[in-house]
Amino acid sequence: MHSDFTFTVNNYVPDPNASMILPYRGSVSTPVTQTMSPELSPPATESSPSDTSSVSRHDSDPVKPTAIHMQTVFSSQTGEAHPSQQHSAQVWEIHKAEIRRLYLEENRPLKEVMTIMRQKGFRATVRMYKSRFDKWGFSKNNSKKDVIAMLQVQRQRSAVGKRTAFHRNGKEVAIDAYLKRKGISQYDLVEPGLAENLPENLRCLTPPPESPKTLHAPGNLSLQELVLQCARDLAWNWYCPPDTPLVACAAHYRGDELRCAITDITNADWLFSIGQYERGGVMCEEGFKSLHLMFKKPSIYGLLHLLITVLDASNKGIVKEIWRYLAAYAATTRVDGPLARLFQGVWKYLSSHDYEEFWDFIFECTEKLLVIEETHSGLPTDTLPRLYPILFIPRAYQYKSQPYRRLQSRCDYSRLIKGPMPTAIEELTVFQATELLILGNQTLWQGERVFQLANTVLENTKGIAYNTEFFVYIALTSLAHYHRNQFLLSEDPITRATNHQLSVHYLEQIASVMEGRWDPDVGYLLGELERLEHWYREAGDIAQADAAHIRWKNALEAIPKDFVRGQKGILH
């Protein structure tokens, strides 16, 4: 026997010419005028024989029904919905708020929600609920995709000093619980690129500030770990997209305002060391104006540039002011995150230790960063090779050449070259110039490979339309040092004389670029005039040495006493 059925028919338009016999208990069949699709019609059974006195649906001409909306057909015995039938979207929307309250806000199990809704006259299967939850974004659990999106947002906000909390359905999301349950770390889920939009059911909030805590001077190990954490966060907060060519990354940082600020402070340090206090003061003030960009526009390039600048600084007062300023800025503006804690921690360390001990600590942090294994530290692949050019940013004078050279020796050119060499002349020249710098540093500019690379880079610059000054500088200084070493190593007077003339010839070409004008971004060229004077004196050419000294003093006078940087790295 068939069970009793109750139908709510609003999904098809009844046709007066079509009729159907529905079986009911008893021997009398009552014709009901309606139209149903064949697959929804109850099948004929022995208990529902065909009544020849009535008009059967098979005796009438078939009429194609017109679909509108239909609620589900329910069994009076089981109370369950027929699995092949669904509520319309409009019906679900009517009950959405109630279902949300029960399932998400009150955190009831799905079966309990179904029971409550069934008591209110709304019935649907588990599959129907889950399908609708997917469309609504009703989720109590963290999916891998959601966790990846949250981690990307968290890293980007952390890199600029913002604390982050995520809420789903009014409750805080525990990302750590997901990672612990899966037995993985957050770096196993890292995906390159900027964070995409969070799902609609997730909200990103800045939690209220924590109670102030006394910041004690941390030990060496904890600060070293903090340096790595900052480098890792900054590396994943892409300065350039991961597929950006090396030449484009280098050019991008060249125009960076933070790079300009650090360069100005570097120039000021040099000017103070040669007694140019007025010019150095103006230059230093200009650099400190934009030093806050360490927080506003942070990058791993800027962090490494700052570290090596501190290591090679001559003026201890400038070094102390850099860390004091950054720590005070973080505290005053309530910037939070690893970078702020690092600057405050370094300042505390510097305030409680001898300067030499502090310098050794910064050097150790920087060196460990350069030799760390990317795959084991959570850094993106090829992060470190992309930082190599930062280590070779020239200065007007190198005060700690041996330690600086040690850092440069940590560069591994084989890590920079993976796969075929680039074919574009600009990018190819970047790779060749980087190899030249690494190789020259490791061999003290000796060997035929240094000579060949220098000439190749110099020749390549003829085919590049812009930004060739630095490449020319690298090639000419390499050739100058190459012949200088030949001069020092040779005992033959003719060979010595020839190589001396060649070495100063290349230095003269470099020095001529700066004479009569001042460009803070190539201020290091003034240092080559000092070198030129020294080489002349060492060779016994006193007249040329004195002339080089006069040229150097004249070049200093070209530095404005009211120096002002242009916007966004553009010089005026």
Side-chain angles (χ1 to χ4, degrees), residues 28 47 64 82 112 158 164 180 270 331 365 427 467-468:
V28 180
S47 59
K64 185 176 180 180
H82 192 289
E112 186 176 339
S158 177
T164 305
K180 185 177 181 180
W270 168 67
C365 289
E427 191 169 1
N467 290 337
T468 60

Side-chain angles (χ1 to χ4, degrees), residues 519-556:
D519 184 339
D521 286 331
V522 290
Y524 51 83
L525 295 180
L526 284 178
E528 300 305 326
L529 269 174
E530 287 187 281
R531 193 190 310 275
L532 183 62
E533 178 188 350
H534 173 69
W535 285 6
Y536 276 131
R537 292 194 187 282
E538 193 173 43
D541 196 339
I542 305 303
Q544 288 289 359
D546 290 342
H549 182 73
I550 294 174
R551 292 161 62 191
W552 175 74
K553 291 182 66 176
N554 292 337
L556 290 178

Side-chain angles (χ1 to χ4, degrees), residues 113-178:
V113 173
M114 293 173 64
T115 300
I116 295 174
M117 295 304 297
R118 191 160 52 240
Q119 292 171 355
K120 297 184 178 185
F122 182 83
R123 302 168 184 263
T125 64
V126 171
R127 180 178 294 180
M128 292 176 186
Y129 271 100
K130 289 185 176 181
S131 174
R132 185 56 51 176
F133 286 176
D134 288 341
K135 295 178 181 178
W136 285 344
F138 285 8
S139 175
K140 295 181 179 181
N141 301 318
N142 291 319
S143 68
K144 180 178 178 180
K145 181 179 180 181
D146 289 351
V147 171
I148 289 174
M150 286 187 284
L151 287 174
Q152 287 176 322
V153 171
Q154 185 182 65
R155 287 193 188 94
Q156 287 181 219
R157 287 169 57 87
S158 177
V160 294
K162 293 183 179 180
R163 297 168 60 229
T164 305
F166 296 97
H167 285 238
R168 178 189 284 115
N169 310 314
K171 297 183 179 180
E172 187 168 356
V173 177
I175 300 179
D176 291 341
Y178 173 90

Side-chain angles (χ1 to χ4, degrees), residues 44-238:
T45 64
E46 293 179 359
S47 59
S48 59
S50 176
D51 189 346
T52 56
S53 62
S54 302
V55 179
S56 169
R57 69 180 178 92
H58 297 290
D59 296 331
S60 62
D61 294 332
V63 179
K64 185 176 180 180
T66 304
I68 48 176
H69 301 290
M70 184 187 75
Q71 289 184 329
T72 312
V73 179
F74 299 97
S75 167
S76 61
Q77 289 186 356
T78 65
E80 293 293 328
H82 192 289
S84 64
Q85 298 164 340
Q86 295 188 10
H87 292 290
S88 64
Q90 288 85 343
V91 173
W92 278 102
E93 288 298 321
I94 293 173
H95 299 285
K96 180 179 179 179
E98 179 72 5
I99 295 173
R100 178 189 177 87
R101 181 182 64 80
L102 295 171
Y103 185 65
L104 298 178
E105 297 176 13
E106 298 182 11
N107 199 28
R108 295 176 184 264
L110 177 56
K111 288 187 178 180
E112 186 176 339
V113 173
M114 293 173 64
T115 300
I116 295 174
M117 295 304 297
R118 191 160 52 240
Q119 292 171 355
K120 297 184 178 185
F122 182 83
R123 302 168 184 263
T125 64
V126 171
R127 180 178 294 180
M128 292 176 186
Y129 271 100
K130 289 185 176 181
S131 174
R132 185 56 51 176
F133 286 176
D134 288 341
K135 295 178 181 178
W136 285 344
F138 285 8
S139 175
K140 295 181 179 181
N141 301 318
N142 291 319
S143 68
K144 180 178 178 180
K145 181 179 180 181
D146 289 351
V147 171
I148 289 174
M150 286 187 284
L151 287 174
Q152 287 176 322
V153 171
Q154 185 182 65
R155 287 193 188 94
Q156 287 181 219
R157 287 169 57 87
S158 177
V160 294
K162 293 183 179 180
R163 297 168 60 229
T164 305
F166 296 97
H167 285 238
R168 178 189 284 115
N169 310 314
K171 297 183 179 180
E172 187 168 356
V173 177
I175 300 179
D176 291 341
Y178 173 90
L179 299 175
K180 185 177 181 180
R181 186 170 68 253
K182 297 292 185 179
I184 58 178
S185 74
Q186 57 175 301
Y187 303 106
D188 295 321
L189 294 180
V190 168
E191 291 188 355
L194 299 176
E196 299 178 355
N197 293 332
L198 291 171
E200 291 184 3
N201 63 326
L202 282 173
R203 293 184 61 203
C204 173
L205 305 173
T206 299
E210 298 176 345
S211 301
K213 298 179 181 178
T214 302
L215 181 63
H216 300 285
N220 290 25
L221 184 59
S222 60
L223 271 178
Q224 287 177 2
E225 291 174 347
L226 198 52
V227 170
L228 174 59
Q229 182 183 355
C230 290
R232 189 165 48 213
D233 289 345
L234 291 172
W236 283 108
N237 186 33
W238 295 105

Side-chain angles (χ1 to χ4, degrees), residues 289-303:
K289 285 181 181 179
S290 300
L291 198 56
H292 66 283
L293 293 174
M294 283 297 306
F295 296 103
K296 296 295 186 180
K297 296 181 179 179
S299 71
I300 191 172
Y301 293 89
L303 178 61

